[in-house]
Amino acid sequence: MCGEKENTEEKIMKAAFDILQRDGLAKTTTKKIAAEAGVNEVTLFRKFENKKNLINVTKEFYLKKFTDKLEENFDYTEEENIEEYLNKTFLVLGMLELEEEDAKIVRVALGEVRENPENKLLISEIVEPVFRKLEGFFELQKEKGEIRDINVKAISLLCYSILFQSILIYQIHHDNPNFKQEFTGEDILDIIYNGIKS
């Protein structure tokens, strides 16, 4: 019985999440969610009380799954060198093997900012753990003498920005047959390691 309850709640959250990323918050209705989940609205309200609560619980659920994956991907050990770490983060996550569910949470976060610029909760929840991991890694490399005395916030922002923009570009263009990926993660990393001067 408990498994059935969880299953119904998960079906409702999945439907809410799919509609939210597809139609945006303003067009996400409890009627649409119930229909897509295959339940009636009474069940939806009994389990989540109201639309606002359902949306909040749904965002938290999917955000947690995504940020856990991000944190794991950006984890590092003291022995890991810069090439190993950046190859892992850029080439595994960044170039660009996001699962559809991961891409959806990015779309929902961006849609949330677009619909309500004051509300940057999801996007900041995605950015913060990655940024902290990058800062920690580069600070460790500086302490070990592996990199010169640079501003670790600046290099963390640079790496995160490249990664995040790569994800966005890929999401926009990956279905376009005229889009050719004319650069690779290795090309980006080569510029980070070697700079642009000849």
Side-chain angles (χ1 to χ4, degrees):
M1 205 64 170
C2 183
E4 185 180 312
K5 176 184 172 194
E6 288 174 15
N7 187 33
T8 302
E9 288 177 359
E10 286 178 17
K11 279 188 350 189
I12 293 169
M13 287 192 298
K14 182 181 183 327
F17 190 65
D18 288 345
I19 294 167
L20 188 61
Q21 68 86 28
R22 187 177 64 230
D23 299 343
L25 181 60
K27 294 181 182 175
T28 299
T29 66
T30 54
K31 189 175 197 135
K32 280 185 187 177
I33 295 167
E36 189 150 326
V39 300
N40 61 46
E41 275 187 287
V42 174
T43 302
L44 187 147
F45 289 121
R46 191 173 65 244
K47 297 204 176 283
F48 294 97
E49 295 180 27
N50 55 50
K51 175 185 164 183
K52 182 178 179 182
N53 188 50
L54 169 58
I55 297 300
N56 288 338
V57 169
T58 299
K59 285 179 182 179
E60 285 174 21
F61 176 78
Y62 283 96
L63 179 66
K64 173 93 170 83
K65 286 174 72 172
F66 185 49
T67 54
D68 285 352
K69 185 185 290 188
L70 281 179
E71 288 208 49
E72 183 181 326
N73 190 75
F74 282 86
D75 247 343
Y76 56 89
T77 65
E78 290 209 12
E79 296 77 37
E80 214 165 2
N81 68 38
I82 295 171
E83 286 83 2
E84 290 169 337
Y85 182 70
L86 291 181
N87 279 331
K88 175 184 75 173
T89 57
F90 272 72
L91 304 181
V92 174
L93 177 71
M95 299 318 270
L96 289 169
E97 298 184 10
L98 283 185
E99 293 176 15
E100 184 57 28
E101 191 176 275
D102 301 332
K104 285 180 183 178
I105 193 67
V106 172
R107 284 195 290 272
V108 168
L110 293 173
E112 187 179 69
V113 172
R114 191 172 47 251
E115 288 179 6
N116 184 2
E118 289 82 42
N119 187 2
K120 296 187 172 75
L121 175 64
L122 275 184
I123 204 72
S124 64
E125 293 287 331
I126 293 169
V127 169
E128 285 304 314
V130 173
F131 203 73
R132 277 194 313 272
K133 296 276 184 174
L134 286 167
E135 278 188 294
F137 176 76
F138 285 118
E139 189 61 52
L140 177 64
Q141 298 309 306
K142 199 162 90 167
E143 289 168 10
K144 288 168 44 178
E146 296 295 323
I147 58 175
R148 63 186 176 86
D149 187 16
I150 58 171
N151 182 328
V152 295
K153 287 189 183 301
I155 187 65
S156 299
L157 178 62
L158 174 68
C159 289
Y160 184 82
S161 298
I162 291 168
L163 182 62
F164 193 71
Q165 289 301 318
S166 297
I167 291 169
L168 292 179
I169 289 167
Y170 180 76
Q171 286 300 310
I172 292 166
H173 294 289
H174 77 283
D175 287 334
N176 181 346
N178 297 323
F179 176 70
K180 288 196 314 190
Q181 194 169 340
E182 296 181 1
F183 61 89
T184 65
E186 288 93 349
D187 295 329
I188 292 170
L189 292 176
D190 176 59
I191 294 167
I192 290 172
Y193 300 144
N194 302 309
I196 59 173
K197 288 186 175 181
S198 58

